[in-house]
Amino acid sequence: MTTPGWALEVARDDLTRTSLVEADVPEPGDGEAVLRVDRVGVTANNVTYAVLGDALRYWRFFPAGEGSGRVPLWGFAEVLASRADGVEPGQRVYGYLPPASHLLVRPERAGAHGFRDGSPHRAALPAVYNSYLLTSGDPAHEPEREDLQVLYRPLFFTSFLLADQLAEQDAGVVVLSSASSKTAYGTAFLLRGGGAEVVGLTSPRNVDFTASLGCYDRVLPYDDVPALAAAPTAYVDLAGSTPLRRALHDHLGADLLLDLVVGVTHQDASPAGDLPGPRPTVFFAPDRVAARTADWGREGLDRRFGEAWRRFAPAAEGWVDVTVSSGPEALRDVWLEVLAGSSDPRTGHVVQL
Ligand SMILES: NC(=O)c1ccc[n+]([C@@H]2O[C@H](COP(=O)([O-])OP(=O)(O)OC[C@H]3O[C@@H](n4cnc5c(N)ncnc54)[C@H](OP(=O)(O)O)[C@@H]3O)[C@@H](O)[C@H]2O)c1
């Protein structure tokens, strides 16, 4: 007899409506393995996966019932059972996981570094989300810093790619919105001292926290856009707020060189209409990964990222209060809190399942 598994599903048209559903623990067929989801993080990034679930196909990774979705999370899992070559029970992996007790995968290219899930429903989805890294083969894995990895790794990888892209711009000023978010301040951490002034825009209640990080040259509340100097500026948008975008375009006009859309923490989908500055471009991490892999090779990219991570991790440890809760109900509560945006930016939610 198998123990029943579970999954947390949300209504795709109302992300506040949740249900914990029972699910059978999968049995691996030939070439398959079953992962037991162990420890995951929840940040605004996961909310964005849900907000853009249809547009960017995030709902397709972990299929759910009609009208429902399983919001992708990042974290650690253990191989519970395997009928796949090169994948053994007891191995620990880091990767893209469902909000559920288990995940059935079809490992391909299994080796010392890990494997990729070759399940047919994931084949056409961006490869970066389909790989599972074995902790034993990952030079960046530090057992005592697993919670930091759960919370920051995908975000800081984005920060790393963003900072690299921005270094190619001739902007005298880089402005980041949702400056209190981990992805934004990770980017600012890497940009600071690189020549451009790094300015963070955030909610009034988060100004003090954001300024205290020391990653930004200046931190302004959202209403203070008029305080930005008229200088060649790159805008890195993590908030996705249309009124803010409009205010920046109206204020900076031709001085705005780049408007890069990275996130939608404010969950605002209203169209911006005609803008005086440059057309917003969507930042798509997999494209940057492909470009830099071509330039540096995969090892070169991993090495550069590893160096950046080793500089960032000790600093970030002082900027986050990791809050660990346990079990499916706690996961649901954390989801609702992060969705509502009521978490303090200093809180990092980790859930042990
Ligand atoms: N394109 C990519 O590849 C990529 C990769 C990683 C992350 N991202 C995006 O970057 C953004 C930040 O993600 P994160 O995980 O780093 O965030 P996080 O650390 O959880 O950020 C928390 C901050 O986001 C803002 N926020 C969160 N929920 C809100 C709500 N309901 N209403 C208003 N503001 C809210 C607040 O910042 P403020 O008060 O400062 O606005 C809050 O302090 C997300 O949209 C994420 O999807 C994109």
Side-chain angles (χ1 to χ4, degrees):
M1 201 181 84
T2 53
T3 328
W6 57 269
L8 174 64
E9 298 191 343
V10 299
R12 292 194 200 186
D13 60 358
D14 176 1
L15 301 174
T16 63
R17 270 176 44 223
T18 62
S19 48
L20 280 167
V21 297
E22 278 201 6
D24 288 335
V25 177
E27 282 289 329
D30 239 5
E32 292 179 333
V34 176
L35 307 183
R36 185 183 64 76
V37 181
D38 183 49
R39 207 165 169 95
V40 293
V42 185
T43 73
N45 188 37
N46 305 100
V47 176
T48 299
Y49 291 145
V51 171
L52 302 179
D54 286 317
L56 296 185
R57 303 182 294 171
Y58 289 116
W59 293 132
R60 298 203 192 173
F61 285 91
F62 308 118
E66 184 69 26
S68 299
R70 297 185 184 182
V71 180
L73 305 170
W74 290 92
F76 290 95
E78 285 193 10
V79 179
L80 183 69
S82 175
R83 290 181 59 195
D85 288 343
V87 177
E88 303 297 333
Q91 287 177 323
R92 190 165 176 77
V93 294
Y94 175 79
Y96 211 45
L97 298 166
S101 55
H102 298 86
L103 174 66
L104 184 69
V105 289
R106 173 165 283 281
E108 284 178 351
R109 299 188 212 153
H113 293 291
F115 58 84
R116 48 159 274 159
D117 182 8
S119 296
H121 70 278
R122 293 176 72 163
L125 299 171
V128 68
Y129 300 113
N130 288 338
S131 62
Y132 292 85
L133 292 176
L134 276 175
T135 54
S136 55
D138 175 10
H141 177 250
E142 300 170 288
E144 67 288 358
R145 287 210 172 117
E146 277 203 348
D147 286 343
L148 216 60
Q149 181 170 340
V150 158
L151 285 169
Y152 282 94
R153 187 159 172 160
L155 308 179
F156 189 66
F157 190 55
T158 303
S159 304
F160 169 79
L161 295 170
L162 276 170
D164 176 57
Q165 178 169 341
L166 289 161
E168 291 173 353
Q169 298 283 323
D170 276 334
V173 182
V174 176
V175 175
L176 295 105
S177 60
S178 267
S180 67
S181 69
K182 296 169 193 65
T183 310
Y185 67 68
T187 310
F189 174 89
L190 293 171
L191 287 174
R192 187 141 193 225
E197 184 190 23
V198 185
V199 180
L201 294 174
T202 185
S203 314
R205 72 181 175 118
N206 291 332
V207 167
D208 289 349
F209 166 78
T210 309
S212 76
L213 303 173
C215 297
Y216 296 93
D217 295 304
R218 243 184 347 148
V219 176
L220 299 172
Y222 286 125
D223 281 354
D224 265 5
V225 165
L228 291 170
T233 299
Y235 175 44
V236 183
D237 177 29
L238 290 95
S241 154
T242 295
L244 178 63
R245 161 159 286 111
R246 183 146 280 290
L248 274 160
H249 277 253
D250 288 345
H251 177 64
L252 291 169
D255 279 324
L256 194 59
L257 304 180
L258 174 75
D259 177 347
L260 195 59
V261 181
V262 181
V264 293
T265 60
H266 291 200
Q267 301 168 33
D268 169 7
S270 59
D274 286 339
L275 293 162
R279 182 194 286 266
T281 13
V282 175
F283 173 78
F284 189 56
D287 286 349
R288 275 309 282 186
V289 173
R292 281 316 200 186
T293 305
D295 295 339
W296 299 333
R298 185 72 220 191
E299 276 182 15
L301 176 62
D302 289 349
R303 184 173 46 74
R304 285 170 169 85
F305 173 67
E307 285 162 9
W309 172 253
R310 277 188 291 281
R311 277 198 295 129
F312 178 71
E317 242 165 0
W319 298 337
V320 66
D321 293 333
V322 177
T323 303
V324 183
S325 47
S326 318
E329 285 84 9
L331 179 63
R332 182 189 48 208
D333 294 348
V334 165
W335 163 255
L336 291 172
E337 184 180 322
V338 174
L339 177 66
S342 49
S343 288
D344 186 290
R346 179 173 276 285
T347 302
H349 291 287
V350 171
V351 188
Q352 173 71 49
L353 296 174

